[in-house]
């Protein structure tokens, strides 16, 4: 269960995914599904995406879950776009 925020970025994830692939070991994620979703798409032995919708309220386009499956956004990069009005409501002034 690599953590996208602590595994040394995309390069660290891909190294970990290659080791898991060589060992035939399934890879599941740990938190940050908005980033992990993309990394799992490039992981040969992908298994489970740990999904917690903590960011849904501040995202312009939250992850879409249908029939238990997450859809990968087609926008460039991570696909994360903030809902600026929602973010403003949560700012500490």
């Amino acid at each position: 269960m690599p953590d996208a925020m602590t595994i040394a970025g995309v390069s660290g994830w891909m190294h970990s995914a290659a080791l898991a692939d060589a060992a035939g070991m399934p890879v599941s994620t740990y938190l940050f599904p908005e980033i992990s979703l993309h990394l799992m798409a490039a992981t040969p032995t992908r298994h489970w995406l740990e999904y917690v919708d903590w960011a849904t309220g501040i995202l312009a386009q939250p992850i879409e879950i249908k029939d238990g499956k997450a859809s990968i956004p087609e926008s460039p990069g991570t696909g994360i776009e903030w809902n600026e009005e929602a973010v403003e409501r949560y700012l500490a002034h």
Side-chain angles (χ1 to χ4, degrees):
M1 290 182 76
D3 180 344
M5 301 304 281
T6 62
I7 199 160
V10 173
S11 297
W13 182 286
M14 296 311 294
H15 178 74
S16 175
L19 292 172
D21 186 31
M25 182 177 289
V27 174
S28 295
T29 64
Y30 181 71
L31 299 177
F32 305 104
E34 295 79 19
I35 304 297
S36 299
L37 179 60
H38 296 277
L39 297 169
M40 287 291 276
T43 301
T45 58
R46 62 187 160 268
H47 187 236
W48 290 103
L49 173 74
E50 181 179 56
Y51 177 71
V52 182
D53 65 350
W54 292 330
T56 296
I58 58 172
L59 294 175
Q61 294 292 321
I63 293 175
E64 182 181 323
I65 306 291
K66 186 173 180 178
D67 298 326
K69 296 182 180 181
S71 296
I72 301 170
E74 293 187 21
S75 44
T78 61
I80 294 175
E81 183 180 340
W82 305 113
N83 175 334
E84 296 295 336
E85 289 180 16
V87 170
E88 181 67 30
R89 284 194 306 267
Y90 293 106
L91 287 177
H93 295 282

